[in-house]
């Protein structure tokens, strides 16, 4: 796997399906695979001109838009690791994260830049970010590239290096102290992405939701599985992401085939989304992770959506997902009260079960080659 990378997935798809829609926003803004690859390549060249080298870290502090998708792939193509920061978080948290991992630069929406720079200065850090004016649709990033004099057609080549190179850092919530950065390599992420491809069997007819923010590990499936298979990715911003009426309508109107979110969002959809008013026949898989799905809410949702596969994914940020369980076909039995299990170990991991004293009771020996 030494010649494989996360950004290589997009490059291969763009070469094979250049005219297919790659990514779109809720307002209808969209880019084809060829257009997205071009914007990514231009971003890569700008970062290189800013001194970004393989192994560097680059922050992303901007809303979840096509601009953000192109920016993170541009970081990867430059050989660096992207560090996504919640644009809704306080500037102090963002400054701590970007300073903690010593980013070389960052791509920042202009309205967020002032508070961020003040907080960075208070921590003794200085940053010269790439500023975007009103991110959305890829237009703000393209304008910044034009203003910087980046050629309309990039001439350089994407970074190609060892699969064990760092791809991204995701920071924990910090609920038990300061946020901690979790480092993930291309190899580790691709093991997960490849397994998802085998599990879901995506193709060019699919349309994936992107509900999770990019600083949350659910986004790894959202981004790389569809864009590695020529499918369409629908970005769901923070405001719409909490509005069940809009989400139900979006699933129907965009023909989403694979949905992935936390159980709490799915419970909101079931209770307040008026799903009975929409044709959701496009859905073929509903994935959930991040928390336990209470049985009554799961039973109700399954009754509304009897046809799709339902899969429970589980794992910490360090592994993204390490176990999975697919619900049996049919309704959730009325007599069931216990939540469904987290399931069995994904084939690219080893697992160990221990008793309360820490003694091993069993072990999974199989390891997939990645």
């Amino acid at each position: 796997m030494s010649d494989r990378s996360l950004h290589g997935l997009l490059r291969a798809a763009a070469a094979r399906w250049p005219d297919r829609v790659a990514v779109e926003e809720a307002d209808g803004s969209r880019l084809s695979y060829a257009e997205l690859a071009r914007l990514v390549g231009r971003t890569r060249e700008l970062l290189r001109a800013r001194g970004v080298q393989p192994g560097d870290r680059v922050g992303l502090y901007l809303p979840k838009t096509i601009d953000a998708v192109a920016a993170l792939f541009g970081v990867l193509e430059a050989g660096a690791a992207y560090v996504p920061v919640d644009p809704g978080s306080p500037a102090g948290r963002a400054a701590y994260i970007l300073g903690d991992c010593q980013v070389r630069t960052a791509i920042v929406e202009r309205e967020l830049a002032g508070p961020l720079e003040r907080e960075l200065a208070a921590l003794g850090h200085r940053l010269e970010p790439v500023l975007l004016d009103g991110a959305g649709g890829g237009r703000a990033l393209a304008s910044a590239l034009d203003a910087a004099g980046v050629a309309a057609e990039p001439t350089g080549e994407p970074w190609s290096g060892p699969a064990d190179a760092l791809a991204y850092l995701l920071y924990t919530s910090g609920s038990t102290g300061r946020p901690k950065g979790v480092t993930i390599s291309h190899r580790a992420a691709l093991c997960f992405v490849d397994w998802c491809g085998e599990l879901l069997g995506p193709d060019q007819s699919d349309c994936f939701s992107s509900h999770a923010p990019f600083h949350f590990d659910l986004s790894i499936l959202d981004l790389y599985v569809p864009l590695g298979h020529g499918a369409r990715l629908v970005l769901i911003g923070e405001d719409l992401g909490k509005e069940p009426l809009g989400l139900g309508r979006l699933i129907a109107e965009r023909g989403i085939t694979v949905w992935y979110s936390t159980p709490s969002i799915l419970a909101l959809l079931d209770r307040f989304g008026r799903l009975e008013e929409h044709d959701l026949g496009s859905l073929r898989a509903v994935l959930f992770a991040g928390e336990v799905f209470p049985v009554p809410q799961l039973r109700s949702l399954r009754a509304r959506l009897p046809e799709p596969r339902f899969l429970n994914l589980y794992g910490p940020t360090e592994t993204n997902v390490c176990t999975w369980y697919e619900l049996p076909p049919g309704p959730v039995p009325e007599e069931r009260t216990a939540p469904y299990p987290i399931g069995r170990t994904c084939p690219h991991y080893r697992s160990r079960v221990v008793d309360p004293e820490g003694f091993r009771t069993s072990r999974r020996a199989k390891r997939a080659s990645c």
Side-chain angles (χ1 to χ4, degrees), residues 12-76:
R16 188 172 180 183
W17 303 288
D19 298 326
R20 294 194 63 85
V21 174
V23 60
E24 63 183 38
E25 296 176 12
D27 68 358
S29 300
R30 56 176 53 186
L31 289 184
S32 68
Y33 273 89
E35 292 167 333
L36 178 59
R38 187 179 305 115
L39 189 58
V40 167
R42 297 184 71 202
T43 304
R44 174 195 72 224
E45 295 308 306
L46 175 62
L47 293 173
R48 286 175 172 169
R50 290 287 191 104
V52 173
Q53 301 290 325
D56 284 341
R57 291 92 184 271
V58 176
L60 302 176
Y61 192 39
L62 65 165
K64 183 181 178 182
T65 57
I66 292 174
D67 307 73
V69 174
L72 68 85
F73 274 103
V75 173
L76 294 173

Side-chain angles (χ1 to χ4, degrees), residues 5-357:
S5 63
L6 289 172
H7 54 277
L9 298 175
L10 175 62
R11 282 284 155 185
R16 188 172 180 183
W17 303 288
D19 298 326
R20 294 194 63 85
V21 174
V23 60
E24 63 183 38
E25 296 176 12
D27 68 358
S29 300
R30 56 176 53 186
L31 289 184
S32 68
Y33 273 89
E35 292 167 333
L36 178 59
R38 187 179 305 115
L39 189 58
V40 167
R42 297 184 71 202
T43 304
R44 174 195 72 224
E45 295 308 306
L46 175 62
L47 293 173
R48 286 175 172 169
R50 290 287 191 104
V52 173
Q53 301 290 325
D56 284 341
R57 291 92 184 271
V58 176
L60 302 176
Y61 192 39
L62 65 165
K64 183 181 178 182
T65 57
I66 292 174
D67 307 73
V69 174
L72 68 85
F73 274 103
V75 173
L76 294 173
E77 287 204 356
Y82 67 90
V83 186
V85 181
D86 180 3
S89 65
R93 174 183 167 88
Y96 171 78
I97 290 173
L98 298 181
D100 180 65
C101 65
Q102 300 178 320
V103 296
R104 170 74 67 174
T105 187
I107 301 176
V108 180
E109 189 175 53
R110 188 179 296 276
E111 69 177 23
L112 301 173
L116 174 65
E117 291 172 350
R118 288 191 291 272
E119 293 289 346
L120 282 168
L123 295 173
H125 300 296
R126 185 172 179 272
L127 187 67
E128 294 184 6
V130 177
L131 297 178
L132 305 187
D133 291 307
R139 295 177 292 273
L141 180 56
S143 295
L145 296 168
D146 291 342
V150 178
E153 294 292 338
T155 57
E157 291 296 323
W159 169 84
S160 177
D164 287 325
L166 187 63
Y168 58 87
L169 288 86
L170 300 181
Y171 272 74
T172 62
S173 64
S175 58
T176 59
R178 288 185 170 181
K180 298 176 179 63
V182 177
T183 58
I184 305 293
S185 68
H186 286 266
R187 182 188 301 275
L190 282 167
C191 280
F192 169 67
V193 171
D194 288 345
W195 171 75
C196 289
E198 295 172 3
L199 180 69
L200 298 172
D203 62 26
Q204 303 76 55
S205 66
D206 274 311
C207 178
F208 279 61
S209 68
S210 173
H211 184 274
F214 293 155
H215 60 275
F216 191 22
D217 58 2
L218 271 66
S219 67
I220 304 307
L221 188 158
D222 296 344
L223 283 165
Y224 301 106
V225 177
L227 294 180
H229 290 83
R232 179 164 47 99
L233 178 64
V234 178
L235 302 178
I236 301 171
E238 182 178 0
D239 291 341
L240 177 59
K242 299 175 182 177
E243 205 277 285
L245 283 174
L247 290 178
R249 186 165 51 248
L250 183 77
I251 294 171
E253 292 177 351
R254 302 303 170 91
I256 289 175
T257 61
V258 180
W259 177 274
Y260 187 29
S261 73
T262 61
S264 57
I265 293 298
L266 285 166
L268 281 175
L269 258 175
D270 175 59
R271 186 174 180 185
F272 301 110
R274 296 182 183 174
L275 300 185
E276 69 279 0
E277 298 179 4
H278 304 291
D279 179 3
L280 305 182
S282 61
L283 270 175
R284 67 178 186 85
V286 175
L287 288 69
F288 53 92
E291 58 197 27
V292 175
F293 207 145
V295 171
Q297 288 91 324
L298 180 56
R299 180 183 294 112
S300 176
L301 180 65
R302 191 66 185 269
R304 291 185 189 274
L305 301 173
E307 296 301 324
R309 301 169 65 188
F310 273 65
L311 297 106
N312 182 19
L313 306 184
Y314 170 83
T317 303
E318 289 81 357
T319 64
N320 199 294
V321 167
C322 59
T323 68
W324 66 286
Y325 179 84
E326 181 165 357
L327 272 66
V332 176
E334 287 296 329
E335 65 273 15
R336 186 178 186 96
T337 58
Y340 282 97
I342 60 174
R344 55 184 175 179
T345 306
C346 301
H348 51 287
Y349 289 118
R350 288 179 177 176
S351 63
R352 178 178 296 176
V353 179
V354 297
D355 63 20
E357 284 70 44

